[in-house]
Amino acid sequence: MRARSPRIVAAAEAAIEDARPYLQPVVLSRELTVTGHDEDRVRVDGGELVCSPDVAARLASAHRLIVVGATVGQPVDDHAIAVFAADPMHALGVHGVGGAAVEDLAGQACRMLRCEAARGGADCSIACWPGRHGWPTLDAQAQIFALLAPGDEAPGVMELTTARLVRPPKSLSFVIGFGERPLTDDEVCDACGLAPVCAYRGC
């Protein structure tokens, strides 16, 4: 890439350095005891997760449900908007850095949860994200935020608006199950709706 498109590399590096001070990574999580399973839902002590047969099957052996929200904060988006008029391409680069940063943050949270499960002698499911097969994003976000209740312990860090938009924009939510018996041995990519056309699958 450096040899073929040095200008793109330089622009990406500039965006990374410019965006770095505006990143405010936070991970919120709540552990819930699973009280029952149905074909399309998981019942917990704080309510229930009405998901889909696909998601419910991956959580069928779980005895604990970890609900997670990850964000890199609002400032990185505010900064991208502020510089857009002067340099639209740089602003898009800053937006891209924010998106990549929250993906990495969520990945780190998943790895940490897997280690925590292993230390306790439990198995850990793959992360189940809003938008998975049969689990519409709008419904999933509402359920996850109802269980996570980020406003109770971290007001203002993450919220779901009345239009069911997540704020800050560079935020992700998902659930993971802990169980005594092996859960699933598949990967997140196996359940992604873009798997048939993804250019990065297997990389």
Side-chain angles (χ1 to χ4, degrees):
M1 177 62 77
R2 290 184 181 277
R4 293 196 306 269
S5 304
R7 291 178 60 188
I8 293 178
V9 172
E13 291 176 339
I16 291 171
E17 290 306 311
D18 188 28
R20 197 187 304 275
Y22 297 94
L23 298 174
Q24 298 180 350
V26 176
V27 174
L28 305 174
S29 67
R30 176 163 290 179
E31 181 178 316
L32 302 165
T33 300
V34 174
T35 59
H37 296 270
D38 289 317
E39 184 182 56
D40 62 349
R41 70 194 62 203
V42 178
R43 296 191 301 276
V44 296
D45 54 3
E48 63 179 7
L49 195 70
V50 182
C51 41
S52 69
D54 174 77
V55 173
R58 284 175 165 80
L59 299 172
S61 299
H63 65 273
R64 286 183 289 159
L65 189 72
I66 315 299
V67 188
V68 182
T71 183
V72 291
Q74 184 65 43
V76 66
D77 269 275
D78 291 342
H79 179 60
I81 293 169
V83 301
F84 183 84
D87 193 340
M89 291 303 296
H90 181 69
L92 291 174
V94 172
H95 271 299
V97 172
V102 74
E103 290 276 359
D104 183 66
L105 182 64
Q108 291 183 53
C110 288
R111 290 190 291 274
M112 181 194 70
L113 288 169
R114 287 186 180 277
C115 290
E116 180 182 329
R119 284 195 298 268
D123 193 32
C124 184
S125 77
I126 63 172
C128 297
W129 308 82
R132 288 177 58 117
H133 297 163
W135 198 22
T137 299
L138 294 182
D139 293 342
Q141 294 284 28
Q143 293 177 63
I144 289 175
F145 270 76
L147 294 175
L148 182 61
D152 291 353
E153 296 183 15
V157 174
M158 287 181 68
E159 67 171 346
L160 193 67
T161 70
T162 55
R164 294 191 178 182
L165 298 176
V166 179
R167 297 292 184 210
K170 299 299 186 290
S171 302
L172 293 171
S173 64
F174 57 93
V175 298
I176 285 181
F178 282 11
E180 298 301 334
R181 294 184 289 117
L183 297 175
T184 55
D185 57 3
D186 54 358
E187 300 292 335
V188 173
C189 289
D190 296 330
C192 178
L194 296 176
V197 296
C198 181
Y200 302 101
R201 186 172 172 80
C203 294

